[in-house]
């Protein structure tokens, strides 16, 4: 798993290359809820999906053998941008790691 660097700010976008694929991730905070939009190699995968603890952001049929993203949070709390630089982390989980996890 690879931690994705996030700033402790409510709205942010980043571009990152993971396993030969280019991802554009946008995170927005509204009324205490974080929402994510993810684009891979120019193709929109999800838009405004609610961020939940320990739940993949992409539906499995959109992984395309390229991995997924999950928020790891302290105590199973919902992701909170004020804790991005401490106890709330966005992780990239590779396709191989997903296969190991799922058995």
């Amino acid at each position: 798993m690879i931690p994705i660097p996030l700033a402790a700010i409510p709205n942010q976008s980043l571009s990152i290359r993971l396993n030969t694929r280019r991802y554009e991730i946008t995170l927005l905070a509204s009324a205490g809820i974080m929402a994510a939009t993810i684009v891979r190699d120019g193709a929109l995968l999800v838009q405004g999906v609610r961020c939940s603890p320990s739940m993949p952001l992409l539906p499995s049929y959109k992984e395309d053998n390229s991995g997924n993203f999950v928020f790891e949070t302290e105590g199973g709390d919902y992701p909170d941008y004020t804790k991005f630089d401490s106890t709330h982390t966005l992780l990239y989980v590779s396709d191989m790691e997903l296969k190991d996890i799922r058995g």
Side-chain angles (χ1 to χ4, degrees), residues 42-64:
L44 179 65
L45 299 177
V46 292
Q47 184 171 15
V49 67
R50 183 177 182 168
C51 300
S52 299
S54 304
M55 296 296 295
L57 292 178
L58 300 176
S60 59
Y61 68 90
K62 293 214 174 178
E63 291 172 352
D64 190 30

Side-chain angles (χ1 to χ4, degrees), residues 37-102:
T37 296
I38 301 175
V39 174
R40 181 178 56 226
D41 296 331
L44 179 65
L45 299 177
V46 292
Q47 184 171 15
V49 67
R50 183 177 182 168
C51 300
S52 299
S54 304
M55 296 296 295
L57 292 178
L58 300 176
S60 59
Y61 68 90
K62 293 214 174 178
E63 291 172 352
D64 190 30
N65 298 316
S66 297
N68 209 324
F69 297 89
V70 64
F71 273 100
E72 183 178 90
T73 63
E74 185 176 64
D77 294 336
Y78 276 85
D80 178 349
Y81 72 89
T82 65
K83 298 178 183 178
F84 281 171
D85 59 354
S86 60
T87 60
H88 292 200
T89 306
L90 178 60
L91 299 171
Y92 168 74
V93 184
S94 72
D95 184 54
M96 187 63 81
E97 290 167 325
L98 287 171
K99 287 178 183 171
D100 287 344
I101 291 167
R102 293 174 178 155

